[in-house]
Amino acid sequence: MSELVPGGNTPLPDGVLTLRVPGPFDVSALITDDGGRVRGDGDFVFYNQPAAPGARLDGDRLTIDPARLRPGAARVTVVVSPADPATPLSRLQSPTLQVTAADGRALARFSPPRPERETVLLLAELYRRGTAWKLRALGQGYADGLAGVARDFGVDVTEDSTPSNAAASAARGATPGGRPLTGRGAEPGAGRITAPGAGQTSAPRARPVSAPAAGQTSAPGAGHLVTARGGRVRGGPMGTPDGGPDPDGFLGPVNSARAAAGSPPVRLDARLTAAARSHAGVMAARGLLSSESPDGTSVYQRVIAAGYPYLTIGEHLVSGPRTPHEFVEYCLTSEESRRTLCDPAFDQAGLAYVPDARSGDLYWTAVWARPFSPEGLDRTAREVIALTNTERTSAGLPPLSADPRLTTAAQAHSADMVARDFYAHTSPGGGRPWDRAAAAGCTHRSIGENIACGQRSPAEVVRGWMDSPGHRANILKRDFTHIGIGLAGGSRAGTYWTQLFGG
């Protein structure tokens, strides 16, 4: 039997495997492709949905038959959370994963370090290598509950609260058929889990990695963080980059709501509207709210294709409202949706709607953005550094100095993740953080990296990193003396952030 440590792995035999986590814990599993994303809500196995092809949950036992997993499945991530949601993980014994073969042989055991602020742990993952399967110990924590894990893997979590006005009640923000996330372990307001892309969407993620000092080796781990946010296309362009006509009267209710929140007005941009029109048309043709089309094209990629490079972006995907006023009223019915509509970082917008020819429902897409500029990029990077140094000084550590070589490497990695549509510390060509730093001319003996995608602002990304133990450890590592920040927008998850440390 293998006694695993975080990051350790062991081969698995063919046949059915049983994974057990005894104690006061809820066990869940996420079935994903190589990209780490679920295909639909059926890929999330938990107490309210205990079975999927090749996977079955029975109390504290999870049975996996890799040969019977759905086509394309390449990974099964095992998640644990407290059975009593009022009890934090820090008050429980460390969960212990026990893995046995079909013949009852003990294959592996893993006990991660005792959690601190985490509310959910990614305990381990089964992953395919060629035709064989292996087990990797993780022990990575989330501070924002099971709903946060679900969002990070591409499962949408929408509020189940009933809108308070007729306009909102006529709208919907999720596809029918979602399963309630209730019962043991459910967090307040967790709402409904639905297929990827349904309703209010986004799955910001983050991963930390820290390299050893020169001359040492290690297998970098990975952690995650999440937040949530969320929202027809018709006719021709409704604006220009310098503003323009607003025949449907969108800007009145939009900017009235923004003014009430103390945010500056937005103006319409024809390129954003073209992207919104294209995406709403796809949703209407399918009769389905989704952040991606069947070919995998996301709203953010449509914005770039329309010729609009952005510094920050947000969106609403909604069906049901009949007028712009109803659309805005619906967007104000939940905190996350209201935050997007009224975000002061946005100064331009594209809005459009398209009817579903079969049902008559209107499918709306609203895109909110601030255009890219070199000055905006520099300002954003400086804000990330300032917020990072605030966290360090609060912990009694010296601030980090900006390093142009680390900045070059960090910016190149963010741009590369967008250009080649991947999200990882290791590039498709095999380059790692310390390789990129060296290529940029850095001579630091120790290199660390945090990445994230989907966050809209420096405050949001730094807050998320600090809420994750792995990222926090990099930010507060005493040995680091310098930092570089990179960010780029345009791939499936919006803005991709890189924070590169040197010491």
Side-chain angles (χ1 to χ4, degrees):
M1 182 180 70
S2 298
E3 289 281 354
L4 297 177
V5 298
N9 62 75
T10 187
L12 295 170
D14 295 336
V16 178
L17 303 161
T18 299
L19 295 83
R20 184 178 179 229
V21 183
F25 303 104
D26 275 331
V27 180
S28 309
L30 290 133
I31 301 165
T32 61
D33 300 330
D34 282 322
R37 306 283 283 178
V38 299
R39 285 190 179 177
D41 59 346
D43 282 346
F44 187 23
V45 178
F46 66 117
Y47 41 79
N48 271 359
Q49 182 173 268
R56 177 169 292 277
L57 179 63
D58 184 10
D60 62 4
R61 295 175 185 270
L62 176 67
T63 302
I64 303 292
D65 185 351
R68 296 175 61 85
L69 293 171
R70 63 152 174 86
R75 187 181 308 168
V76 179
T77 303
V78 181
V79 182
V80 293
S81 55
D84 177 4
T87 303
L89 283 172
S90 60
R91 294 185 185 176
L92 304 175
Q93 73 268 25
S94 183
T96 298
L97 175 68
Q98 302 168 355
V99 185
T100 57
D103 60 6
R105 286 182 297 119
L107 299 175
R109 183 177 181 275
F110 172 56
S111 293
R114 181 185 293 274
E116 296 179 358
R117 294 183 301 161
E118 299 90 338
T119 57
V120 174
L121 285 180
L122 304 188
L123 197 54
E125 64 179 5
L126 286 73
Y127 62 101
R128 187 178 62 208
R129 282 294 178 265
T131 59
W133 285 77
K134 303 181 74 173
L135 174 75
R136 177 185 292 118
L138 299 176
Q140 299 161 7
Y142 279 74
D144 50 358
L146 191 59
V149 177
R151 290 189 190 102
D152 196 19
F153 281 77
V155 182
D156 283 332
V157 181
T158 61
E159 295 293 330
D160 255 348
S161 57
T162 302
S164 58
N165 55 62
S169 64
R172 65 181 185 270
T175 55
R179 295 168 173 81
L181 180 62
T182 58
R184 291 187 306 128
E187 47 185 327
R192 182 163 58 242
I193 294 178
T194 62
Q200 299 172 15
T201 66
S202 93
R205 295 182 290 173
R207 295 178 179 169
V209 64
S210 182
Q216 299 177 343
T217 61
S218 73
H224 302 267
L225 67 90
V226 297
T227 68
R229 58 175 165 274
R232 288 169 164 166
V233 186
R234 184 185 78 159
M238 300 188 304
T240 69
D242 298 319
D246 180 20
D248 294 287
F250 280 107
L251 290 183
V254 166
N255 285 330
S256 176
R258 289 176 63 85
S263 298
V266 294
R267 66 183 188 276
L268 294 174
D269 181 278
R271 297 162 296 177
L272 293 176
T273 297
R277 179 186 309 111
S278 176
H279 193 77
V282 170
M283 293 194 299
R286 300 175 67 199
L288 177 67
L289 289 169
S290 177
S291 61
E292 294 185 0
S293 61
D295 65 0
T297 302
S298 73
V299 178
Y300 313 114
Q301 290 168 314
R302 295 185 192 280
V303 169
I304 294 296
Y308 188 103
Y310 61 83
L311 188 66
T312 185
I313 195 167
E315 81 286 345
H316 285 91
L317 310 176
V318 172
S319 67
R322 306 301 302 179
T323 67
H325 181 77
E326 287 184 5
F327 169 80
V328 173
E329 285 294 313
Y330 177 67
C331 291
L332 294 173
T333 58
S334 74
E335 179 59 32
E336 293 294 344
S337 182
R338 182 187 302 111
R339 189 178 304 152
T340 297
L341 178 72
C342 299
D343 194 326
F346 302 137
D347 60 6
Q348 295 182 346
L351 304 102
Y353 59 88
V354 165
D356 179 342
R358 295 154 298 190
S359 67
D361 286 345
L362 297 179
Y363 282 79
W364 299 71
T365 297
V367 183
W368 318 89
R370 179 178 291 272
F372 173 87
S373 68
E375 298 78 15
L377 178 65
D378 290 343
R379 180 178 62 253
T380 303
R382 289 196 302 270
E383 290 178 16
V384 174
I385 294 174
L387 290 168
T388 299
N389 281 334
T390 296
E391 299 293 346
R392 285 180 64 88
T393 54
S394 296
L397 298 170
L400 302 172
S401 299
D403 185 322
R405 296 163 297 182
L406 291 173
T407 298
T408 297
Q411 184 61 39
H413 188 54
S414 287
D416 191 30
M417 287 192 288
V418 168
R420 292 200 275 180
D421 193 20
F422 72 97
Y423 178 72
H425 294 292
T426 302
S427 70
R432 297 170 298 177
W434 35 98
D435 301 323
R436 294 188 287 270
C442 293
T443 57
H444 299 292
R445 289 178 55 83
S446 183
I447 293 292
E449 182 178 86
N450 288 342
I451 60 175
C453 61
Q455 294 81 1
R456 292 195 301 253
S457 69
E460 187 177 344
V461 74
V462 173
R463 181 172 62 249
W465 278 328
M466 288 298 296
D467 282 342
S468 171
H471 309 98
R472 180 185 178 91
N474 272 347
I475 288 174
L476 301 182
K477 186 171 181 179
R478 184 174 296 275
D479 292 343
F480 289 146
T481 58
H482 291 78
I483 189 173
I485 303 297
L487 60 142
S491 196
R492 298 188 186 192
T495 300
Y496 287 63
W497 304 77
T498 300
Q499 192 178 42
L500 194 59
F501 305 91

